Amino acid sequence: MVLTLHHVTVEEVYALLEPLLQKGSSEAKRKGHSVMVSASVPITFEGSLASVVDMGLKDAQFATYWHDGPNGLERATYGETALEIYSGARAFDRASTASVRLFQEVITGETARTAAFLGTAFDASRKRGTPWERWPDVLLAIPMFSIERETSARAYLTVTLRVGQNDTLRDVKKSTEQALRKLLELSTQKRTVRRRGSGLGDLRIDEAQAPEAGIDEAYRTLVSQATEDMRKGSYEKVVHARMMDVTHRVTAFAATLENLAYDHPSSTVFGIAWRGDVFLGATPERLVGMRKGQLYIDCLAGTAPRFADREQDEQAGQALLASKKDLHEHRLVLAGIESALEGVATKPTYKDPQLRRLPNLQHLYTPVRAEALRDVTIVSVAARLQPTPAVAGWPRAKALRVIREREEVDRGWYAGALGFIERDGSGEMVVALRSALVKDDRAYLFAGAGLVADSDPIREEGETTLKMQVMKRALCLSSEEKNAKEDPRES
């Protein structure tokens, strides 16, 4: 059955799936256990994909939204047909093996665009604490429903269902039809995107500790301890994170996520609903992308503020490019990436650092390229890279030990790895930065700073405050406050 591009109906979707379901039932009888079947159909979807997160919060334990600004892809998933959870030091490696197995268990139609979601904590070896009690160390899922949108309306709906030995089309419809109908109802609802600027203002790093920002003496102490260690040669770099607990004003996550995507077009915006919580953010850092065996990795380390005044902004960028401290930190991250790729890829290639400009910050940025060796998947590469020196430190083992011993806050999924992986082992994964966890009426904002021997505690705390501004504005201001100040900067 071939469907033209239109607002597809529930009946049309199940008519397309019926032959595949029959095949799945026969295969389940042969194997003696249930199997998964998956098919995709082109549809018109004009509604808000971000609304799927709100829908998932009400009716499911798991839903996601993903806006890949650099690649122009938007995706939302609802429910799960396969879901596996792993914990402990080898959790990422076990998920890598499991992803291959799960895809082998799926019977697909000719044009199926089946993908799996993978999300990990920053440190799977650490016991989950407040506010991450509900979250696993590593979560691997094949969504029940997935919608990808490449243009303003053209999209693909992928349905992946589990079929038992004696299941009929009626049985499958009974358990999934209500969710599919609600999902497709969103396709005709027009989106209302608020066209606003970030309003982050002319906030300098050394001015971030204004009275309203507060002073985090504990964080300054962490920085001082680390710089003292590094002057003694104990390690070369460590990244310390801090958390801010605030009251949020979010009534619908769709608007929040769409505004983040509008304000941060060069970042990847994500929202993950899991058992009543929502983890969301706008990260500028790709961990690794893989397409046709080619690896694309971001080295992002070294930070300076943005300024509304163009001349001042340019001076800050040039000073960052010449900063010995930031260039040293950047080189350590590159060294960590090169070390992690040994044995899974060819020798990486890259050029001198350039500036990556975001609405309120600018970073030293080096795109790294390599070719994956035979039978290497994106998950196996990500498992080697994560956590990179950009979010942990260098040497990694020593930096992680210091973080575990000294940081009281549980980072949870902040600075962890998130992304979607395809059947052929390709995909896209990011580092979950500029992010927050929303739990009931509270929002927990996270940010970190890379420390080297000559780091200044006040300046590093100020950098984390600037980074938190992204999610603080998104979650804690009313729509009137958000629209009160327009920020003309966009780069």
Side-chain angles (χ1 to χ4, degrees), residues 205-237:
I205 283 183
D206 58 354
E207 293 176 351
Q209 295 302 330
E212 65 270 19
I215 295 175
D216 190 337
E217 292 290 357
Y219 188 76
R220 293 184 182 184
T221 299
L222 273 180
V223 177
S224 296
Q225 290 174 326
T227 54
E228 184 177 348
D229 288 347
M230 287 181 281
R231 291 187 188 113
K232 294 176 181 177
S234 300
Y235 43 89
E236 292 186 77
K237 175 185 177 181

Side-chain angles (χ1 to χ4, degrees), residues 34-38 81-82 102 105-107 142 160-163:
S34 64
V35 299
M36 290 180 283
V37 299
S38 185
T81 296
L102 282 180
E105 296 176 2
V106 182
I107 300 171
I142 294 184
T160 305
L161 303 175
R162 188 169 290 281
V163 185

Side-chain angles (χ1 to χ4, degrees), residues 338-412:
E338 288 191 276
S339 176
L341 292 178
E342 290 180 5
V344 295
T346 59
K347 184 176 177 60
T349 60
Y350 50 86
K351 297 180 180 179
D352 291 336
Q354 55 190 273
L355 290 178
R356 174 83 181 276
R357 286 191 162 111
L358 305 170
N360 71 321
L361 290 169
Q362 47 194 326
H363 299 285
L364 291 178
Y365 166 61
T366 299
V368 179
R369 304 290 179 261
E371 184 175 347
L373 301 183
R374 186 175 180 180
D375 296 328
V376 169
T377 68
I378 186 173
V379 185
S380 59
V381 176
R384 296 286 297 271
L385 288 167
Q386 180 66 14
T388 72
V391 293
W394 188 256
R396 181 164 66 180
K398 288 185 177 180
L400 284 172
R401 185 163 61 249
V402 171
I403 290 169
R404 290 165 185 156
E405 290 174 354
R406 293 181 178 169
E407 279 189 18
E408 295 183 2
V409 62
D410 178 16
R411 297 189 187 188

